[in-house]
Amino acid sequence: RIRRKKEMTKSMLDDISGIGPVKKQALLARFKTIKNMACATDDELAKTIGKQASKALKNALADSSPQ
């Protein structure tokens, strides 16, 4: 049960360097979904989590999106 619970709460945000629990919560509070984060502008992301973390997030989302 414990393993299953941890897997269910795992997000792709957990694997991005520079995004910890506080920034993850801020992103989810503002954008609600990963899809909305991917559609957000660089400025919107930077205002929420900072420039470096927003660049890391955009790179990770670009790498994971289907071509």
Side-chain angles (χ1 to χ4, degrees), residues 4-67:
R4 183 175 21 170
K5 185 176 181 182
K6 285 182 183 179
E7 289 173 7
M8 291 179 76
T9 60
K10 183 116 169 93
S11 168
M12 79 170 290
L13 297 176
D14 296 329
D15 298 328
I16 300 172
S17 171
I19 298 182
V22 174
K23 289 182 181 178
K24 178 181 169 182
Q25 279 302 117
L27 285 167
L28 291 172
R30 171 90 195 270
F31 299 106
K32 309 288 190 240
T33 66
I34 299 289
K35 184 177 179 181
N36 290 343
M37 290 175 210
C39 294
T41 65
D42 291 337
D43 288 338
E44 289 175 322
L45 290 171
K47 286 179 186 175
T48 306
I49 59 171
K51 281 188 178 184
Q52 286 185 327
S54 68
K55 286 181 184 179
L57 176 62
K58 278 291 193 179
N59 288 337
L61 292 173
D63 290 345
S64 68
S65 66
Q67 299 290 329

